[in-house]
Amino acid sequence: MPRWLPRAMVLALALYACFQFGSWAFHQLVGLLINILIAFFLALAIEPAVGRMAARGMRRGLATFLVFLAVMLAGTGFVVLLGSMLAGQIVDMVEDFPKYLDQVINWINQNFHTELSRVAIQDSLLRSDWLKKYVQNSASGVLDVSATVLGGLFRLLTIFLFSFYIAADGPRLRRALCSVLPPSKQTEVLRAWEIAVDKTGGYLYSRGLMALISGVAHYILLALLGVPYAPALAVWVGLVSQFIPTIGTYLAGALPMLIAFTVNPWYALWVLGFVLVYQQFENYVLQPKLTARTVDIHPAVAFGSVIAGTALLGAVGALIAIPAVATLQAFLGAYVKRYEVTDDPRVHGHRRHGEAVVARLQRALTARREQAPAPRDGEAAP
């Protein structure tokens, strides 16, 4: 046996063991890594506000705390408004359920000549085995729901803590990162960091402004129609339509349509028409003007980035895909050399006049040759 073979086998086994351990550790820590990624983008989003407050003499820790406090108050207010709306609707449905049930029973009795009664149906439901099994499964599912809620709260707290430390200690983090790099690379890292802050913060603020405009417009419509809980529905439409990519508009418009349908079925059609018209106004008028200086990327690139982010990281990837791609595009655009485009009609999709004439003649000659009869034996071709 060669002398190098045992050492090579030991080295190969050691590398394989390290690979297996690294793969196991990565799968165990993937949740934490995703939370850190979300916290990093959240810290980048609030960095402009924190930087402005720190430039005026306020400590970065206090400025970061005030920004997070404003975000938490806004989120809590939105949850309270939405929760009160849903609770009110549920209470109304529960109170009106016997009336709806009586209407259905009367319709069945009149059309099918039956003698059903609400009391008999309630007794049969209360004594059924299906209801007992459903109650047992619901009791066991309460623990799972509670664990899920507690896990979500713990994850949210983890994200807020990481983002708070990243935003509050931003300068120290940049100095620590630059201290391990040569001077020629430090400028590039700081430039990439600045571009990421501008694009992420610009994306968040432009989306927030569009959410405000959308909420005000939908509130005016819902208030004119007399739809209940118009403020909460307007906040719902503004936030969901702007911060949930691709399908956010449809999710946002479904709830106001449902509430409007309970008032008057025609009101639901009015809400649907307004949502469609406002979406076109936002796509072609409002959004290009607000995002021209922040996340100016092609709609096809944005759509593809959302799909790719969803495939990689799920809902988290869909949320951070657009600012990430905008940052990458801006960073690469700073190093790609560009030239002046020649003044050629073909650049604008038009062909030269001479080329168009030649192409027309060639098509005419080809058609004439195809229509001409084949030459007989001994005759010259035309």
Side-chain angles (χ1 to χ4, degrees):
M1 180 183 297
R3 295 181 179 179
W4 57 267
L5 185 58
R7 290 180 294 178
M9 294 177 62
V10 172
L11 180 61
L13 292 176
L15 291 176
Y16 180 75
C18 292
F19 172 77
Q20 291 292 333
F21 177 76
S23 178
W24 172 80
F26 175 78
H27 285 87
Q28 294 295 322
L29 298 176
V30 64
L32 178 62
L33 295 177
I34 292 177
N35 291 340
I36 294 176
L37 181 63
I38 300 174
F40 178 72
F41 274 93
L42 182 59
L44 292 180
I46 66 173
E47 177 65 26
V50 175
R52 291 191 187 97
M53 298 172 69
R56 297 180 179 179
M58 186 179 296
R59 296 177 57 184
R60 287 190 64 91
L62 180 59
T64 307
F65 173 76
L66 292 178
V67 173
F68 271 103
L69 181 62
V71 173
M72 292 179 64
L73 290 177
T76 304
F78 171 70
V79 172
V80 170
L81 286 175
L82 188 63
S84 63
M85 180 191 66
L86 293 177
Q89 291 296 317
I90 292 173
V91 170
D92 293 340
M93 291 176 62
V94 171
E95 292 179 352
D96 295 338
F97 181 75
K99 181 178 67 176
Y100 296 147
L101 185 59
D102 289 337
Q103 293 177 358
V104 173
I105 292 173
N106 293 332
W107 182 82
I108 294 175
N109 291 334
Q110 292 177 2
N111 290 275
F112 297 97
H113 305 287
T114 57
E115 297 181 356
L116 298 176
S117 64
R118 178 160 55 89
V119 177
I121 294 177
Q122 290 177 352
D123 293 339
S124 62
L125 287 176
L126 292 175
R127 297 176 182 177
S128 62
D129 296 335
W130 172 81
L131 183 61
K132 296 179 181 179
K133 293 180 181 179
Y134 178 78
V135 171
Q136 293 175 357
N137 295 331
S138 300
S140 61
V142 169
L143 298 177
D144 297 335
V145 173
S146 302
T148 303
V149 172
L150 291 177
L153 292 176
F154 178 75
R155 183 178 182 181
L156 186 62
L157 179 62
T158 303
I159 292 173
F160 270 97
L161 286 177
F162 273 113
S163 58
F164 178 84
Y165 290 130
I166 293 174
D169 294 339
R172 186 185 304 176
L173 181 61
R174 288 190 286 270
R175 284 195 298 269
L177 183 61
C178 292
S179 64
V180 297
L181 296 174
S184 60
K185 299 296 183 183
Q186 294 179 9
T187 304
E188 305 299 332
V189 170
L190 294 177
R191 185 175 185 178
W193 191 290
E194 184 179 2
I195 291 175
V197 169
D198 292 338
K199 295 300 179 180
T200 307
Y203 171 76
L204 179 64
Y205 297 142
S206 62
R207 287 291 175 177
L209 182 57
M210 286 193 294
L212 177 61
I213 297 174
S214 176
V216 171
H218 287 84
Y219 170 75
I220 294 175
L221 173 69
L222 297 174
L224 291 176
L225 295 177
V227 178
Y229 307 103
L233 290 175
V235 174
W236 164 267
V237 172
L239 293 179
V240 174
S241 63
Q242 299 303 323
F243 290 98
I244 296 182
T246 308
I247 61 173
T249 302
Y250 308 103
L251 292 178
L255 185 59
M257 286 177 56
L258 180 61
I259 303 301
F261 185 84
T262 59
V263 179
N264 191 336
W266 290 104
Y267 289 174
L269 295 178
W270 278 99
V271 174
L272 176 61
F274 183 82
V275 169
L276 295 177
V277 172
Y278 182 82
Q279 184 65 27
Q280 301 304 316
F281 167 76
E282 181 182 280
N283 291 338
Y284 295 102
V285 178
L286 187 62
Q287 185 173 352
K289 293 183 178 180
L290 293 180
T291 61
R293 298 181 180 179
T294 55
V295 286
D296 189 14
I297 60 178
H298 195 274
V301 177
F303 182 71
S305 63
V306 169
I307 294 177
T310 305
L312 291 175
L313 298 176
V316 175
L319 290 175
I320 66 176
I322 294 179
V325 171
T327 302
L328 180 62
Q329 177 180 338
F331 185 72
L332 294 178
Y335 297 96
V336 176
K337 188 176 181 179
R338 299 182 180 272
Y339 300 93
E340 185 178 357
V341 179
T342 181
D343 190 10
D344 195 316
R346 290 172 292 183
V347 176
H348 306 286
H350 304 291
R351 301 177 63 182
R352 292 180 178 177
H353 180 68
E355 294 180 354
V357 172
V358 172
R360 193 179 299 113
L361 291 175
Q362 289 177 352
R363 288 196 298 268
L365 291 175
T366 303
R368 185 177 180 182
R369 290 174 182 174
E370 291 177 354
Q371 294 176 359
R376 298 179 181 179
D377 297 337
E379 295 182 358

